[in-house]
Amino acid sequence: CKKLIISRSKKDGSGSAENTLGDGLTTNNVYGTRVQDKEISLNQPDVVKVLAVYESSTTGDPNLPSISLINRSAELTDTIQGELVVGENSGATAQVVTKAAGAVDIVYTNDVQFEREEIVTFQSSGIVGQVSVVTQGDKEITKSFIFDDGQRDGFYGLSKITRKESGAAPQNPIMIVFDYFTHGAGNNFTGVASYPDLSPE
């Protein structure tokens, strides 16, 4: 699980200083690295799935949804990045993106949000705790994009997202959260039969 912040702009005069557009972006001429580009590179091969795309409501980096926990069985720094969290009462499910001692940034994997005071369980680390604070995060714009893993018959490229015709170009910094495969140390060969258990959605 990884997050990528896109804060470049194709507009002249982007920036946060006086006499600029005040959008928190930096003017740049490299296609595929700017919020307004039709295609945005994830700069990562082997991406499995884009979990969410968020647009900041300010000139700063986007905020992810998060939950804070009390009565924890362990510190949340012991959670595993990318593991699933399940709410006992709400049925909400989410993936851990970043973690701190008492809170985790998450991306929801269903359409239900966690409830205050409910018990949640982290499925890989086994940590259990009670939700004390639920933070919504910035605007999610995932449905405005189509994911492309970059794999073709003739070559193996970087993954990207492509904005749909119906999707408006973002005006502020965006954050893309995605899952990807990693390779162990050594000389590993990746071929067509490397992922036999991966079923497309």
Side-chain angles (χ1 to χ4, degrees):
C1 185
K2 182 177 183 178
K3 60 183 182 182
L4 173 67
I5 295 172
I6 306 295
S7 58
R8 291 178 172 181
S9 172
K10 68 179 182 181
K11 294 181 179 179
D12 290 333
S14 278
S16 299
E18 189 177 349
N19 300 323
T20 66
L21 295 177
D23 54 10
L25 304 172
T26 303
T27 302
N28 193 276
N29 62 2
V30 179
Y31 181 78
T33 66
R34 305 167 299 185
V35 297
Q36 302 96 350
D37 290 336
K38 180 76 173 175
E39 302 165 303
I40 298 176
S41 174
L42 302 182
N43 201 31
Q44 176 78 50
D46 248 348
V47 173
V48 181
K49 181 180 182 180
V50 170
L51 300 172
V53 182
Y54 295 93
E55 182 177 4
S56 178
S57 58
T58 68
T59 57
D61 292 344
N63 293 310
L64 289 173
S66 67
I67 53 173
S68 298
L69 302 185
I70 57 174
N71 303 322
R72 303 179 299 271
S73 60
E75 291 297 336
L76 296 184
T77 48
D78 294 333
T79 60
I80 299 169
Q81 188 176 6
E83 76 170 302
L84 198 65
V85 192
V86 178
E88 189 175 282
N89 298 332
S90 65
T93 59
Q95 255 183 262
V96 175
V97 180
T98 52
K99 53 192 180 178
V104 287
D105 289 335
I106 57 172
V107 169
Y108 285 100
T109 56
N110 64 8
D111 294 329
V112 184
Q113 293 196 354
F114 292 113
E115 300 172 356
R116 288 186 66 247
E117 300 184 356
E118 79 168 317
I119 302 300
V120 297
T121 303
F122 293 77
Q123 299 298 294
S124 298
S125 61
I127 295 172
V128 178
Q130 184 179 21
V131 177
S132 58
V133 178
V134 179
T135 304
Q136 201 162 26
D138 279 321
K139 179 183 178 182
E140 184 180 348
I141 57 172
T142 313
K143 291 182 179 178
S144 295
F145 296 92
I146 298 169
F147 167 59
D148 179 350
D149 63 11
Q151 298 180 25
R152 302 291 186 270
D153 290 341
F155 68 92
Y156 194 83
L158 298 176
S159 303
K160 65 181 179 181
I161 57 174
T162 302
R163 183 162 34 86
K164 299 176 182 176
E165 292 297 334
S166 58
Q171 301 300 310
N172 297 319
I174 65 172
M175 179 187 295
I176 308 164
V177 184
F178 55 88
D179 283 339
Y180 67 102
F181 286 115
T182 58
H183 300 273
N187 297 319
N188 293 307
F189 172 76
T190 302
V192 68
S194 294
Y195 312 118
D197 298 325
L198 181 62
S199 300
E201 292 185 336

